[in-house]
Amino acid sequence: MHSVAAIDMGRRSLSRVLMRVIALPMAFGLFAMVSPWLPDYALEIGFRVFLLITLAEAWNLMAGYGGLVSLGTAAFFGIGAYAFTASMNHTGAPIALALLLAGGSAALVALIVAPAVFRLRGLYFTVGTLALAEATRLFMVNSTAFGGAKGLLLAQDPPGPRELYLIALSLLAVATLFMTLVTGTRFSILLRAVRDDEDAATQIGVRPFRVKLGAFSLACFLTGMAGGLQGLKLGIVEPYGMLGLQWTINVLAIVIIGGQGLRAGAVVGTVFVVAMGELLADWPALHLALSGVILIAAIRFAPQGLVGLWLRAWSSK
Amino acid sequence: MFDATVVTNSLASGLLLGGMLALTALGLSITLGAMRLVNLAHGELLVGGAYLGYGLMRAAAIDPLIGLPLVGCTMGLLALPLHRAVLTPLADKGMEAQMLTMFGVAVVLNNLYLLGFSADTRALDTWYAARAAHLGPVTVPVIYLLGFAVALLIVGLCHLLLTRTRFGRELRAASSDADAARTLGMDVSRVHALAFALGAACAAMGGVLIGMAFSFNPASGGGHLLNSFTVVVLGGIGNIFGTLIAGLVLGVVQSLGAVVFGDGYRDLVGLLLFFIALALRPQRIAATGSR
């Protein structure tokens, strides 16, 4: 069954690869070129959309392709933000290098906790990552080295909205490149094999621990870079904002509303969630409550999200 | 290094607190064991119980301890339509869909509490709660003793319910093999609904006790969920005696952590215990964790 799916994927992927090689870079170029004419509000929204798509792509890699449903997004996002701010303040590293360090720190933490959380198959991974997020937050609140509840201030002024927009766009380009490489290669088939039946995959020679570790650490790397970027934008990292559950909720809502395991799902879901966030900007609690309701409805009525609904309508025509 | 009375007092309060932790964890354990449901809204149900107790106390001047059975029944009755609305339709969609749905429920409840009751931290204050009880050399707040006794009583009643009644027999049958139970003519979905209600009732009553001993706010559910999970992983799923012992262990470890590192580290030490438990007892989890 797996091999049939693989052949099928191989045939379809030729036109997809062409589309990705030509259409995606054009889209990125277009978004970059229009930036001088965009008003601040559009730049702000663009920044948020690019950041959240990056986070959603990373989450989708774990959950949609690998069956690793993580509730630890906030932990890796926050770790990235702290690592970014600390390295900017103490080493004077350029932004790009500090962002790489942020992603690297998050991936390192992922590697360290992996043996513990992967022992737990399936749903216990979810609870393990949730516990990790809470532990990270409590640690940062209590530790004096990272500024406790007050957090860390970025020593230099954050760049302007246009520069932030372009950095976020570049980050998304990096994430898209990674995702295209990963989902277009053998690795994604291994990952899906592990997701669908870990025991069967082991029987045919797949090493589940390595495959899961690869997906987990790459996703955490991207999440950490996104966290570093948010730290750059705000100019301050503190445990309640950066390590708050709202990041996890948003990402989960985006992927489930957009469509799990579908590349376009992250984009569609982000546009939906950001639009809803803008409409309800003055009522954050109501916004989150509604996200929860939509999440519940999507799981029940559209398990493949909006993109899945659209695909089904398209194929039945 | 540490004052001996401080250590013995906190050991004693940790032990007593552990009884309350065991009661709340029992709620999570029942739903996990009977329905294979990772109830991520467990903490919110617990906080909901505390708000119910608060409402009873404010509106009808009912002492939270007297109102405890009422809170348990109310939460159980509220849980039934919730189960019907969000979980029953997903019965054959696998564990992940149900778990994420409960995460959605947690997010909704959390923010509804925030909208309805504001972010203020509240406590179920009673005239006797803060008084000191002297047990030989040890001094603990009276509410810890009362909470421990009541929690123990409820855990004992649950034990009787699960081992001595028809419902308990059906629930155990459904948890060990749902398909076989269905073949034998049992209404498994009814058993699941009742198990969910029982779990919610335990969580809510534990929430009242914790609300009397400490304080609560809309956001405190997450920490309680993880505490309960630690107890369940340590004690084993569906094992009442194990849950009780594990609750006491967690209570003592948290209190010791608070003495050694400072009060802010109480929950962090508990989470460390959780990770250690996960690393050391994988077989316990693998047995029920696989699909």
Side-chain angles (χ1 to χ4, degrees):
Chain A
M1 228 192 106
H2 290 302
S3 60
V4 174
I7 294 165
D8 185 39
M9 229 181 71
R11 260 189 226 135
R12 275 189 301 164
S13 64
L14 195 68
S15 62
R16 279 195 188 177
V17 166
L18 276 178
M19 199 203 101
R20 279 174 195 170
V21 169
I22 298 166
L24 272 178
M26 272 177 65
F28 278 107
L30 199 70
F31 275 119
M33 274 187 332
V34 296
S35 69
W37 294 281
L38 290 177
D40 280 1
Y41 178 71
L43 292 171
E44 163 79 29
I45 296 292
F47 174 87
R48 208 178 311 156
V49 166
F50 300 150
L51 188 84
L52 284 172
I53 295 179
T54 306
L55 288 173
E57 291 256 40
W59 196 84
N60 206 3
L61 174 66
M62 289 187 287
Y65 293 88
L68 298 166
V69 179
S70 158
L71 290 178
T73 296
F76 299 101
F77 188 80
I79 289 167
Y82 273 96
F84 176 83
T85 307
S87 58
M88 288 281 277
N89 286 356
H90 293 293
T91 65
I95 290 173
L97 181 63
L99 281 179
L100 281 177
L101 283 172
S105 314
L108 187 69
V109 174
L111 288 176
I112 293 170
V113 298
V117 290
F118 283 152
R119 285 193 101 139
L120 326 168
R121 251 198 212 182
L123 306 179
Y124 286 86
F125 173 80
T126 309
V127 181
T129 46
L130 182 66
L132 181 70
E134 180 71 6
T136 314
R137 196 174 60 83
L138 285 173
F139 178 77
M140 289 302 183
V141 169
N142 285 297
S143 83
T144 45
F146 294 95
K150 282 204 203 104
L152 295 178
L153 265 173
L154 189 63
Q156 69 184 66
D157 286 337
R162 191 153 288 114
E163 202 179 331
L164 282 170
Y165 170 93
L166 288 172
I167 299 174
L169 186 64
S170 323
L171 176 64
L172 179 59
V174 170
T176 308
L177 186 70
F178 270 130
M179 285 296 288
T180 306
L181 288 176
V182 166
T183 55
T185 55
R186 187 168 162 268
F187 182 73
S188 86
I189 299 166
L190 297 180
L191 197 55
R192 282 179 230 199
V194 171
R195 173 192 67 186
D196 291 340
D197 193 332
E198 193 165 326
D199 294 322
T202 313
Q203 290 292 316
I204 57 169
V206 179
R207 293 182 186 165
F209 183 80
R210 282 195 193 177
V211 173
K212 287 198 283 187
L213 188 62
F216 185 46
S217 49
L218 177 59
C220 290
F221 181 79
L222 292 175
T223 308
M225 291 227 288
L229 183 56
Q230 180 71 11
L232 175 66
K233 176 173 186 269
L234 295 184
I236 180 172
V237 287
E238 43 81 30
Y240 297 100
M242 284 293 181
L243 291 159
L245 196 62
Q246 69 271 21
W247 291 103
T248 308
I249 297 171
N250 274 336
V251 170
L252 197 74
I254 285 171
V255 179
I256 289 181
I257 292 169
Q260 255 194 84
L262 300 165
R263 288 293 303 280
V267 180
V268 174
T270 303
V271 171
F272 187 95
V273 166
V274 169
M276 193 170 74
E278 280 305 290
L279 285 175
L280 299 171
D282 296 332
W283 302 281
L286 190 64
H287 169 214
L288 282 176
L290 244 142
S291 299
V293 172
I294 296 174
L295 194 71
I296 296 168
I299 293 168
R300 175 158 169 201
F301 298 109
Q304 292 271 270
L306 292 174
V307 175
L309 284 183
W310 189 79
L311 285 177
R312 216 190 308 159
W314 187 254
S315 63
S316 66
K317 257 184 200 167
Chain B
M1 195 161 109
F2 298 106
D3 188 354
T5 45
V6 173
V7 174
T8 46
N9 281 348
S10 69
L11 270 179
S13 21
L15 201 68
L16 296 174
L17 172 64
M20 297 182 243
L21 291 175
L23 170 61
T24 58
L26 186 62
L28 190 70
S29 182
I30 288 172
T31 47
L32 195 55
M35 312 164 61
R36 302 280 184 274
L37 172 70
V38 181
N39 185 2
L40 293 177
H42 175 76
E44 274 65 30
L45 295 176
L46 187 153
V47 173
Y51 276 116
L52 278 177
Y54 189 81
L56 277 181
M57 195 174 78
R58 278 298 152 98
I62 297 176
D63 184 281
L65 275 185
I66 311 283
L68 202 63
L70 196 57
V71 169
C73 291
T74 312
M75 188 52 92
L77 286 178
L78 289 175
L80 285 173
L82 179 68
H83 177 268
R84 187 164 191 86
V86 303
L87 290 174
T88 311
L90 297 173
D92 52 354
K93 295 273 173 62
M95 288 170 76
E96 188 189 308
Q98 293 203 338
M99 175 185 70
L100 289 177
T101 295
M102 289 321 285
F103 184 70
V105 170
V107 171
V108 172
L109 285 179
N110 187 340
N111 288 286
L112 285 184
Y113 296 155
L114 203 57
L115 287 170
F117 310 115
S118 83
D120 295 348
T121 295
R122 291 163 211 262
L124 296 168
D125 288 321
T126 47
W127 57 271
Y128 50 84
R131 294 213 176 168
H134 302 281
L135 303 167
V138 184
T139 310
V140 289
V142 166
I143 185 62
Y144 280 38
L145 268 180
L146 284 173
F148 181 76
V150 172
L152 221 55
L153 179 73
I154 299 174
V155 171
L157 286 176
C158 281
H159 175 71
L160 290 178
L161 182 68
L162 292 181
T163 53
R164 300 276 193 280
T165 65
R166 186 189 161 83
F167 165 68
R169 218 164 39 241
E170 290 187 343
L171 188 126
R172 280 178 294 132
S175 28
S176 60
D177 193 336
D179 290 330
R182 210 172 276 122
T183 315
L184 291 172
M186 259 174 54
D187 185 353
V188 172
S189 63
R190 188 181 133 265
V191 175
H192 281 178
L194 290 174
F196 185 73
L198 180 62
C202 285
M205 290 189 285
V208 171
L209 296 179
I210 288 175
M212 293 180 78
F214 297 95
S215 59
F216 60 96
N217 62 48
S220 40
H224 292 307
L225 169 72
L226 292 171
N227 273 341
S228 292
F229 247 107
T230 309
V231 173
V232 170
V233 170
L234 270 179
I237 295 159
N239 178 347
I240 291 192
F241 187 67
T243 303
L244 192 58
I245 300 295
L248 301 182
V249 169
L250 178 65
V252 169
V253 168
Q254 280 190 340
S255 293
L256 278 183
V259 170
V260 177
F261 301 109
D263 208 41
Y265 285 90
R266 166 180 286 274
D267 286 331
L268 195 57
V269 170
L271 287 173
L272 263 179
L273 184 67
F274 177 60
F275 283 115
I276 293 171
L278 286 181
L280 296 184
R281 306 197 66 176
Q283 74 287 353
R284 231 348 145 181
I285 298 145
T288 40
S290 58
R291 275 176 281 179

